[in-house]
Amino acid sequence: MINRENTKKVFVGNVQIGGNNKVVIQSMTTSKTHNVEETIKQINQLYNEGCEIVRVAVLGINDANCLAEIVKKSPIPVVADIHFNYKFALIAADAGCAKIRINPGNIGIEENTIAVVNKCKEKKIPIRIGINSGSLPKKLVEKYGWTSKCMVEALREHIEILEKLEFYDIIYSLKATDPLMAIEAYSLASEIWNYPAHIGITEAGSLLNGAIKSSFGIGYLLYSGIGSTIRISLSEDPIMEIKVAKKLLNSMGLYENIVEVIACPTCGRLEFGLKDVVNEVEEFVEELKFPLKIAILGCVVNGPGEASQADIGIAGGRNGGIIFKKGKIFKTVEQEKLVPELKELILEYYDSWKNQQS
């Protein structure tokens, strides 16, 4: 398999995809793109949450004609999501979109494809080929069945079209609703091409179901060295896609600027309201985007050992609690002071981190 560091380096605006170990977080707006005000509002919200590239749907000429204004106002690179109509791709390129998502085999006669490729060459814009398990060509399904092999062969057709025209700034995706199918498809493709992959599990579903399916499929691929950029596809506010993506990457050592709260499971040894404390602390650190690991433990039995992997932590008890730093006891406090003192300590770490950045 190809390690993400060994893939081709492709730039989406000023964001590098491939050629390094970084995994770039993407999402997509849910607004109608021709509603520029709402689209920009969503883009800014996604950017503030940690999104690095944003995709917008181009369903009609009104959407296409608004791309230039959106690109101008967006704080992050904008990707135009286009199906079938090559003219929208030309407008998107001239509007300054940083990437075009279009399948070259689906835009009609060869002259259409040549026009899009020449425009993308002129503007130095990459093309993302997006294969989806739900829309595979019938002729390939008849030959290979609804399989990962079929997905890879569909990808091959589109890549060969671009390579024939000497276009190589390619990013590909092979999204399936079945994580195992996606894993196999991406794994097969990584043995054939060294283009960077955009990975995701399509139509993953609601927050719980989608986060689980995506974390399994995407996590497995990332651990295997496959994937340079990801989208967590959820039937939710796209802000949740960014939250899940950051936590997934953080758990794999691929994203640092997040406060991680770890907590022990509930058990009969609990002598204080662990669940409520965890919720309170998570809410407190929600907007603090810096690297810190906090352990919240329900008792002092396993406290020192379990807190040793965290920067700071607390262990509650019936009559009081303990605050840890790097697994060592920092101080003991009364029960009602445990969370307030933890919050003060968190802010001290945050202020120290900010001073180091300046």
Side-chain angles (χ1 to χ4, degrees), residues 266-278:
T266 56
C267 73
R269 292 194 301 266
L270 282 179
E271 293 184 308
F272 83 125
L274 178 70
K275 179 182 176 181
D276 292 338
V277 169
V278 171

Side-chain angles (χ1 to χ4, degrees), residues 8 12 38 54 73-74 88 98 135 158 201 221-222 224 285-286 288 293 301 324:
K8 178 179 171 60
V12 178
E38 180 60 29
V54 66
K73 294 179 177 179
S74 174
F88 296 164
S135 55
H158 294 300
I201 307 301
L221 288 166
L222 292 176
S224 301
V285 302
E286 178 71 24
L288 300 179
K293 182 176 286 189
V301 174
F324 299 96

Side-chain angles (χ1 to χ4, degrees), residues 113-285:
T113 302
I114 292 172
V116 172
V117 168
N118 286 341
K119 178 65 72 172
C120 289
K121 282 183 178 179
E122 173 194 342
K123 299 293 185 178
K124 296 182 172 57
I125 298 171
I127 292 174
R128 198 244 291 183
I129 299 172
I131 303 301
N132 191 301
S133 64
S135 55
L136 295 172
K138 290 183 179 179
K139 62 176 183 176
L140 292 179
V141 173
E142 290 173 358
K143 184 175 181 179
Y144 299 104
W146 190 72
T147 62
S148 56
K149 174 67 173 174
C150 185
M151 294 180 69
V152 172
E153 290 305 313
L155 174 62
R156 188 192 303 276
E157 288 189 353
H158 294 300
I159 286 180
E160 287 180 350
I161 291 171
L162 294 182
E163 290 182 337
K164 180 183 176 182
L165 297 172
E166 299 182 340
F167 187 89
Y168 305 103
D169 281 339
I170 299 169
I171 298 169
Y172 70 85
S173 63
L174 290 157
K175 296 184 179 181
T177 58
D178 179 354
L180 292 174
M181 186 175 179
I183 287 170
E184 188 171 328
Y186 279 108
S187 299
L188 289 170
S190 72
E191 295 172 355
I192 303 170
W193 299 284
N194 73 334
Y195 295 117
H198 168 69
I199 60 176
I201 307 301
T202 191
E203 300 166 2
S206 62
L207 178 58
L208 179 60
N209 193 49
I212 292 171
K213 289 174 68 175
S214 295
S215 294
F216 166 60
I218 294 173
Y220 182 96
L221 288 166
L222 292 176
Y223 187 73
S224 301
I226 299 171
S228 298
T229 178
I230 67 171
R231 180 194 175 190
I232 306 290
S233 298
L234 300 174
S235 304
E236 301 281 347
D237 186 321
I239 290 294
M240 297 308 300
E241 298 185 352
I242 307 302
K243 291 181 183 294
V244 174
K246 290 193 302 183
K247 290 184 181 298
L248 171 59
L249 294 180
N250 177 257
S251 71
M252 302 184 70
L254 294 169
Y255 192 92
E256 290 186 349
N257 283 357
I258 184 173
V259 178
E260 180 184 5
V261 179
I262 61 175
C264 62
T266 56
C267 73
R269 292 194 301 266
L270 282 179
E271 293 184 308
F272 83 125
L274 178 70
K275 179 182 176 181
D276 292 338
V277 169
V278 171
N279 290 339
E280 182 178 349
V281 174
E282 285 189 333
E283 183 177 341
F284 180 74
V285 302

Side-chain angles (χ1 to χ4, degrees), residues 89-105:
L90 302 179
I91 294 172
D94 283 331
C97 288
K99 182 172 67 174
I100 306 295
R101 193 279 196 191
I102 193 168
N103 290 348

